Amino acid sequence: MCSRVAERPEGRPLPEGASARESSFDTRVGLRVFSATACHLLSRDLEAPSPEGTQGSRPSSALCRADVAQQFQFAVRVIGSNFAPTVERDEFLVAEKIKKELIRQRREADAALFSELHRKLHSQGVLKNKWSILYLLLNLSEDPRRQANKVSNYATLFAQALPRDAHSTPYYYARPQTLPLNYQDRGTQAVQSSGSLGSSGISSISMCALGGPAPPPQPLLPGQSHQTLGVGDCLRQQLGSRLAWTLTANQPSSQTPPSKGTPNAVSRSMTRSRREGETGGAVEITEAALVRDILYVFQGIDGKNIKMSNTENCYKVEGKANLSKSLRDTAVRLAELGWLHNKIRKYTDQRSLDRSFGLVGQSFCAALHQELKEYYRLLSVLHSQLQLEDDQGVNLGLESSLTLRRLLVWTYDPKIRLKTLAALVDHCQGRKGGELASAVHAYTRTGDPYMRSLVQHILSLVSHPVLSFLYRWIYDGELEDTYHEFFVASDPTVKTDRLWHDKYTLRKSMIPSFMTMDQSRKVLLIGKSINFLHQVCHDQTPTTKMIAVTKSAEPPQDAADLFTDLENAFQGKIDAAYFETSKYLLDVLNKKYSLLDHMQAMRRYLLLGQGDFIRHLMDLLKPELVRPATTLYQHNLTGILETAVRATNAQFDSPEILRRLDVRLLEVSPGDTGWDVFSLDYHVDGPIATVFTRECMSHYLRVFNFLWRAKRMEYILTDIRKGHMCNAKLLRNMPELSGVLHQCHILASEMVHFIHQMQYYITFEVLECSWDELWNRVQQAQDLDHIIAAHEAFLDTITSRCLLDSGSRVLLNQLRAVFDQIIELQNAQDAIYRAALEELQRRLQFEEKKKQHEIEGQWGVTAAEEEEENRRIREFQESIPKMCSQLQILTHFYQGIVQQFLVLLTTSSDESLRFLSFRLDFNEHYKAREPRLRVSLGTRGRRSAHM
């Protein structure tokens, strides 16, 4: 402090061997040098020209004494004050300022003399606080006789704190605790400034604050004010925070026009104009000219000495400029703000005129404009500061004027903000809508709270259109996305029957990164459910009755919920709307449109679950279906269907279900019979067609044809067994047929076993298990998508396990070959029975004729008739080996096909199919014939896994 400038070093012993006389001599010499320096600096007040501008006139002795007394009072006031120093504690820096001040006053000889005196003072070890002494002398050199309408000490003009106006992002502020508040107006300004909640960090210097002290500016980084300061931080604090408290009690108002007759103002204007005029001559460029150029560069405008280099894409100081390396480097560092400003401004200018950029993009541009507006406020204050210096004649040599070092301090925070904005601009190039919001949100994942607060503020503005789209969609089902920015897309060309599946989809690239995929899916389902109810179900119930959640009246609050409480507030709103809307939709489908009843009808009729109906229908259709397919008529078959319904338990079903049940004839191929083209059909329309789509009905048709064919095989084998039982007694009198009938019976038994095992597998392991799983999932479904997914999974399961998928084509071909052999057996057996019954009938007729002749008294038969009968019997007996060969060939083909089918089953990836092979070959008949079937089931599974 200046009050301790003459302090004697305490506790410092005299050098050993030095006498008291030598110490006294050094002390006298040091004090004499100090006295000469002080008198030399203060003498200019007695030699200064009079206010009238007369030169060379000597003041009277009374006036000199008054001046001395006034200087003494001013010195005492300075020494007794508690002002904080406004410059760095550097002795040589203060000495240079004193010399510059003398040169500015055109006292070059005095400057040289002061340099010599300072050198002598520095060589003496008497004084301890040389810096404090020089700083005191510098302050005493101020003239206390200046008028009140002139600025006597300009040290605090630039040190005024930035007003803490309410701006975009939070403001971190801490007042230096070591600086006392001694002025009456300081408390008032502190109260006014403390009412503000935030500042963008790019603030302006309020001109009304020049009349009195203001609170210090915010620290360079949030939370820095309470940390240990380094050398650079101390410098910024001295140039910023602490400099704001050095106002004197009689600080004049900056709005008072300066006196243009003062020599200081005249010399200041002449010096500045002379320096500016020398730039064209390649002489040394002053710091004042650089400051002026820098202020223009801040706005993206080339200065006289600093211009944009298009080749290097940066601002550079002209090579012919005669500048020191430190000034050149400082100017280049400051010019980076202009480059950043141009980058941001170019992006906003281009995108602001692009209507296809969308609402989210325009919000992003508006946020950038808002930050640039705060930056322009700072530039306007800096320009006002420079203009005020020019008007009132303040020299750059004083610590009060605008310098490059002060610009570095004051633009430190704005530079961080502009760098962040420029990085955002680069990262957001080519993005729009939700993708743009995701790009901005990515920059919130930083550990710097200052940068995070800025990006979060921009993100809150950018996300407003996204939130507006979202709330309108989930509460009203409306989607007005002209520029395709929202993550829900609508296709207006899709018809109503495909509304749920195709009209509304997710644009995954537009899903904001602050929303999960599950949240996005729920948002899609909410709006889709509302539109489905209105357009497909024709349910005009207001959404306020469906959803018990009320709309938020304050979108900013919603944005706050989104970014600060994603797990609770925002997630809760989406979940509530999702559950309420989905529950209402499922209730409408189940109660009004009987969705579950139709699903059960599919199981009973198309998947042959209604056994009595299917069996009776086959009995009634058999005479029709054995005919060629080209001779069938659908109306005849429909009549038979209605007869079967009335004769079985199917009559107790709902009329709505029976009305939809119908007969369908497939495409006819050459040689097809009615069995090959007959199929049941179930008509679906309206909302239930959303679940039972055309693709689903085609799956049902394929499964029905497979099950109908398998059921027909069972029906054929039943008829074969009936034929065996009925004809066994009739053909007892024909012993030559016993071998044929036995062979036919054995083959039929093998086929019955095969079909029974296949029917068990299809009915229980495939249909019943899959249906039970489907029913449980449908009962637990939370939305329509869950029901659709469960139903499609059910169809996929039964399709693949019934060997109808592409991967089981070989197995299906083998199974169809088995079915063909069963039909061949039926045909062969019918032929054998027909031939045997005809032969039996002729034999009975012959015996009857013989008995009749005997009753009539004639010979029973003649020799010719007996010979004819024997010839016919021999021909029949000769045909029996042919029948046996036919059955053997049929048996051989059948067993070969079954054997190959079993081999394919053992290599299947489906465990149930592998166990089916075990049941089909329960007595290991085929295993003994085929080595590939002798591998254990576990080894088969491992082998199939490697294949």
Side-chain angles (χ1 to χ4, degrees):
M1 300 300 289
C2 295
S3 58
R4 297 195 302 272
V5 292
E7 179 183 4
R8 178 85 178 178
E10 297 178 2
R12 181 178 178 182
L14 292 174
E16 295 182 1
S19 63
R21 182 177 181 182
E22 292 175 351
S23 175
S24 176
F25 175 76
D26 292 339
T27 302
R28 288 197 300 272
V29 170
L31 293 177
R32 189 180 307 116
V33 172
F34 166 67
S35 176
T37 303
C39 294
H40 195 77
L41 286 174
L42 299 178
S43 63
R44 58 101 175 167
D45 291 325
L46 302 179
E47 298 175 359
S50 63
E52 290 78 6
T54 59
Q55 301 289 338
S57 59
R58 300 292 298 175
S60 61
S61 59
L63 182 59
C64 291
R65 287 194 299 272
D67 289 340
V68 171
Q70 196 171 17
Q71 289 280 7
F72 176 75
Q73 293 175 2
F74 178 68
V76 171
R77 188 165 62 251
V78 171
I79 294 174
S81 69
N82 58 355
F83 294 165
T86 60
V87 297
E88 188 177 358
R89 295 177 179 270
D90 190 342
E91 173 187 351
F92 294 97
L93 178 62
V94 177
E96 288 298 319
K97 287 183 176 292
I98 293 175
K99 287 190 288 184
K100 288 182 179 180
E101 178 66 17
L102 293 175
I103 293 175
R104 186 184 66 82
Q105 299 174 6
R106 299 181 182 179
R107 298 168 60 186
E108 289 80 2
D110 292 340
L113 180 58
F114 170 77
S115 179
E116 179 64 21
L117 292 173
H118 177 255
R119 185 186 62 79
K120 292 180 179 180
L121 179 65
H122 185 67
S123 64
Q124 301 297 325
V126 180
L127 300 179
K128 178 181 178 182
N129 298 321
K130 298 184 181 65
W131 173 86
S132 299
I133 294 173
L134 294 177
Y135 182 66
L136 170 64
L137 297 178
L138 179 61
N139 281 283
L140 293 179
S141 65
E142 299 289 341
D143 190 354
R145 299 169 298 172
R146 293 181 182 177
Q147 301 297 327
N149 61 348
K150 292 187 293 183
V151 178
S152 60
N153 185 3
Y154 215 72
T156 59
L157 278 179
F158 190 71
Q160 299 298 325
L162 297 180
R164 297 187 301 280
D165 299 331
H167 294 309
S168 55
T169 55
Y171 172 80
Y172 300 88
Y173 166 71
R175 183 179 63 82
Q177 301 296 325
T178 59
L179 302 179
L181 301 174
N182 293 335
Y183 301 101
Q184 298 176 359
D185 58 346
R186 185 171 302 168
T188 304
Q189 293 186 6
V191 172
Q192 294 174 353
S193 62
S194 63
S196 175
L197 295 178
S199 171
S200 67
I202 306 178
S203 307
S204 62
I205 301 176
S206 177
M207 295 307 298
C208 63
L210 294 176
Q218 65 182 23
L220 302 180
L221 288 174
Q224 185 178 331
S225 59
H226 299 291
Q227 298 176 358
T228 304
L229 300 177
V231 176
D233 297 327
C234 293
L235 176 59
R236 286 192 289 271
Q237 184 181 16
Q238 293 170 5
L239 295 179
S241 300
R242 302 183 64 185
L243 191 58
W245 304 93
T246 60
L247 290 175
T248 58
N250 57 351
Q251 176 69 35
S253 174
S254 64
Q255 297 178 359
T256 306
S259 175
K260 297 183 179 179
T262 59
N264 194 18
V266 173
S267 62
R268 167 68 174 170
S269 60
M270 293 176 60
T271 303
R272 187 177 290 271
S273 62
R274 182 173 64 253
R275 290 175 181 176
E276 292 175 355
E278 293 174 352
T279 57
V283 297
E284 181 178 359
I285 301 174
T286 62
E287 188 173 358
L290 281 180
V291 168
R292 185 175 298 277
D293 278 1
I294 285 296
L295 292 184
Y296 282 108
V297 169
F298 283 170
Q299 305 171 64
I301 304 173
D302 289 350
K304 293 182 180 179
N305 304 295
I306 304 176
K307 300 182 182 299
M308 170 61 76
S309 174
N310 294 327
T311 58
E312 300 182 17
N313 191 24
C314 64
Y315 281 100
K316 298 188 65 177
V317 181
E318 290 188 345
K320 65 179 181 180
N322 187 11
L323 283 176
S324 63
K325 187 177 184 301
S326 62
L327 288 180
R328 185 181 294 271
D329 292 343
T330 304
V332 171
R333 288 175 59 189
L334 287 171
E336 186 180 355
L337 268 80
W339 184 86
L340 295 172
H341 165 269
N342 291 348
K343 186 180 189 66
I344 300 170
R345 185 60 182 269
K346 180 181 179 181
Y347 179 85
T348 56
D349 290 345
Q350 290 177 350
R351 290 299 188 178
S352 297
L353 301 177
D354 186 5
R355 296 182 62 87
S356 63
F357 198 32
L359 298 179
V360 178
Q362 296 301 326
S363 298
F364 181 56
C365 291
L368 295 179
H369 275 299
Q370 182 177 351
E371 296 299 328
L372 289 179
K373 179 181 177 182
E374 300 298 327
Y375 176 69
Y376 293 148
R377 291 180 60 187
L378 174 61
L379 297 187
S380 66
V381 172
L382 296 178
H383 277 285
S384 300
Q385 171 80 6
L386 187 63
Q387 185 64 34
L388 192 60
E389 290 182 13
D390 290 340
D391 294 342
Q392 297 187 353
V394 178
N395 197 315
L396 280 172
L398 297 178
E399 66 275 8
S400 58
S401 56
L402 199 60
T403 63
L404 295 180
R405 294 181 64 187
R406 286 194 175 93
L407 284 180
L408 278 178
V409 174
W410 282 99
T411 57
Y412 179 84
D413 188 44
K415 188 174 182 180
I416 294 178
R417 300 180 73 85
L418 290 184
K419 280 185 176 181
T420 303
L421 297 180
L424 280 177
V425 166
D426 282 337
H427 192 55
C428 296
Q429 289 287 350
R431 304 174 189 265
K432 60 182 290 188
E435 189 178 7
L436 176 61
S438 299
V440 176
H441 179 256
Y443 272 76
T444 61
R445 301 179 184 134
T446 176
D448 185 357
Y450 180 76
M451 179 178 175
R452 184 168 59 251
S453 63
L454 169 64
V455 179
Q456 283 181 346
H457 166 68
I458 296 177
L459 182 59
S460 65
L461 297 179
V462 169
S463 300
H464 269 290
V466 178
L467 294 178
S468 177
F469 291 142
L470 187 144
Y471 284 117
R472 192 165 184 180
W473 171 251
I474 66 176
Y475 289 119
D476 298 326
E478 298 179 2
L479 186 61
E480 295 184 2
D481 187 14
T482 307
Y483 302 106
H484 309 293
E485 303 173 88
F486 195 42
F487 57 85
V488 175
S490 174
D491 187 358
T493 62
V494 176
K495 297 182 179 180
T496 306
D497 57 339
R498 297 293 300 176
L499 182 144
W500 186 270
H501 296 280
D502 300 331
K503 187 167 186 178
Y504 301 107
T505 55
L506 280 178
R507 292 192 189 102
K508 293 186 178 180
S509 62
M510 291 296 173
I511 298 177
S513 57
F514 48 78
M515 291 186 65
T516 63
M517 182 59 69
D518 182 62
Q519 289 176 338
S520 304
R521 189 189 71 85
K522 288 181 178 179
V523 169
L524 172 66
L525 288 177
I526 293 170
K528 189 161 63 171
S529 299
I530 295 174
N531 285 278
F532 185 80
L533 284 167
H534 291 169
Q535 301 180 34
V536 181
C537 298
H538 306 290
D539 187 287
Q540 301 302 325
T541 304
T543 54
T544 54
K545 293 185 179 180
M546 302 180 198
I547 306 174
V549 181
T550 58
K551 295 183 185 179
S552 176
E554 299 179 358
Q557 184 63 32
D558 292 332
D561 291 343
L562 177 62
F563 303 123
T564 62
D565 199 6
L566 281 174
E567 296 298 329
N568 297 321
F570 184 71
Q571 179 70 30
K573 291 182 179 180
I574 293 180
D575 288 343
Y578 164 73
F579 287 124
E580 294 291 338
T581 307
S582 300
K583 181 178 181 297
Y584 185 84
L585 174 59
L586 294 182
D587 289 342
V588 170
L589 289 176
N590 290 330
K591 295 177 181 179
K592 185 178 179 180
Y593 293 97
S594 305
L595 174 63
L596 298 183
D597 293 340
H598 290 295
M599 193 173 292
Q600 290 178 333
M602 295 281 187
R603 171 69 180 94
R604 289 197 302 270
Y605 298 113
L606 296 188
L607 300 182
L608 311 188
Q610 192 74 26
D612 59 335
F613 167 77
I614 298 299
R615 180 66 185 185
H616 189 60
L617 180 64
M618 279 191 167
D619 291 338
L620 296 178
L621 289 175
K622 182 179 179 181
E624 293 287 334
L625 298 183
V626 295
R627 297 162 52 189
T630 55
T631 63
L632 297 180
Y633 296 97
Q634 186 169 357
H635 61 275
N636 294 335
L637 300 178
T638 303
I640 297 175
L641 175 64
E642 292 176 355
T643 302
V645 169
R646 289 194 298 267
T648 59
N649 289 330
Q651 62 182 319
F652 302 109
D653 274 340
S654 170
E656 176 68 17
I657 293 177
L658 297 178
R659 182 182 62 84
R660 296 175 181 271
L661 190 61
D662 198 2
V663 171
R664 179 177 181 179
L665 293 177
L666 304 180
E667 185 178 354
V668 179
S669 299
D672 285 346
T673 64
W675 293 104
D676 300 320
V677 298
F678 175 82
S679 176
L680 288 180
D681 195 13
Y682 196 86
H683 298 292
V684 291
D685 54 10
I688 64 171
T690 301
V691 178
F692 303 106
T693 60
R694 295 180 180 177
E695 294 79 6
C696 292
M697 297 310 296
S698 66
H699 281 292
Y700 274 114
L701 183 60
R702 292 179 61 195
V703 175
F704 174 83
N705 289 331
F706 173 78
L707 297 177
W708 182 258
R709 190 177 182 87
K711 181 65 71 173
R712 181 195 172 194
M713 297 302 107
E714 183 181 6
Y715 190 78
I716 290 174
L717 289 175
T718 303
D719 288 344
I720 291 176
R721 295 296 297 269
K722 284 182 181 180
H724 287 169
M725 296 175 64
C726 295
N727 296 322
K729 293 182 180 181
L730 293 177
L731 301 177
R732 187 179 301 172
N733 296 326
M734 299 178 66
E736 65 271 18
L737 288 176
S738 59
V740 177
L741 295 179
H742 176 73
Q743 189 174 356
C744 185
H745 179 74
I746 294 298
L747 181 57
S749 297
E750 291 186 22
M751 292 181 175
V752 167
H753 169 72
F754 183 89
I755 292 300
H756 281 177
Q757 293 301 322
M758 287 300 302
Q759 284 285 1
Y760 172 83
Y761 166 76
I762 294 170
T763 303
F764 294 99
E765 296 190 16
V766 177
L767 295 179
E768 288 299 329
C769 294
S770 300
W771 173 258
D772 183 69
E773 183 180 355
L774 168 66
W775 192 253
N776 291 333
R777 292 180 62 181
V778 167
Q779 295 296 327
Q780 299 172 3
Q782 295 180 346
D783 56 52
L784 185 56
D785 266 355
H786 288 167
I787 293 180
I788 294 174
H791 183 249
E792 290 178 350
F794 166 74
L795 289 178
D796 291 341
T797 300
I798 64 176
T799 300
S800 61
R801 300 186 69 181
C802 287
L803 312 179
L804 299 176
D805 59 340
S806 58
S808 304
R809 192 178 301 277
V810 178
L811 273 171
L812 182 61
N813 291 335
Q814 290 296 116
L815 185 60
R816 287 177 176 174
V818 173
F819 291 165
D820 292 340
Q821 295 303 312
I822 294 175
I823 297 175
E824 289 294 331
L825 174 61
Q826 182 190 27
N827 296 332
Q829 181 174 285
D830 289 345
I832 292 174
Y833 282 142
R834 189 165 49 249
L837 290 176
E838 288 179 357
E839 178 63 22
L840 179 61
Q841 186 65 27
R842 290 191 182 97
R843 290 183 182 184
L844 291 177
Q845 289 177 356
F846 179 77
E847 291 295 331
E848 185 66 27
K849 182 179 178 182
K850 182 178 179 181
K851 289 180 180 180
Q852 185 66 30
H853 286 173
E854 289 177 353
I855 293 173
E856 294 176 354
Q858 300 177 2
W859 293 101
V861 291
T862 62
E865 292 177 346
E866 186 175 5
E867 182 65 25
E868 179 67 21
E869 180 68 16
N870 292 334
R871 184 185 61 78
R872 185 180 56 78
I873 293 175
R874 285 195 302 271
E875 289 179 357
F876 175 76
Q877 291 176 349
E878 291 175 357
S879 66
I880 292 177
K882 184 178 180 181
M883 295 179 185
C884 292
S885 300
Q886 184 180 2
L887 288 177
Q888 289 176 357
I889 294 173
L890 184 61
T891 302
H892 176 75
F893 274 109
Y894 169 78
Q895 291 182 349
I897 294 172
V898 171
Q899 182 174 311
Q900 184 64 29
F901 182 74
L902 292 175
V903 172
L904 293 175
L905 288 180
T906 58
T907 59
S908 174
S909 59
D910 191 345
E911 185 179 7
S912 60
L913 290 177
R914 296 199 298 271
F915 279 100
L916 174 62
S917 67
F918 171 77
R919 291 197 301 272
L920 291 175
D921 190 23
F922 73 99
N923 59 355
E924 299 184 353
H925 170 74
Y926 295 98
K927 181 178 179 181
R929 300 174 55 183
E930 175 57 55
R932 288 178 292 178
L933 298 177
R934 299 171 189 172
V935 185
S936 64
L937 287 178
T939 307
R940 295 176 192 175
R942 290 193 297 270
R943 183 179 64 182
S944 63
H946 292 290
M947 291 183 64

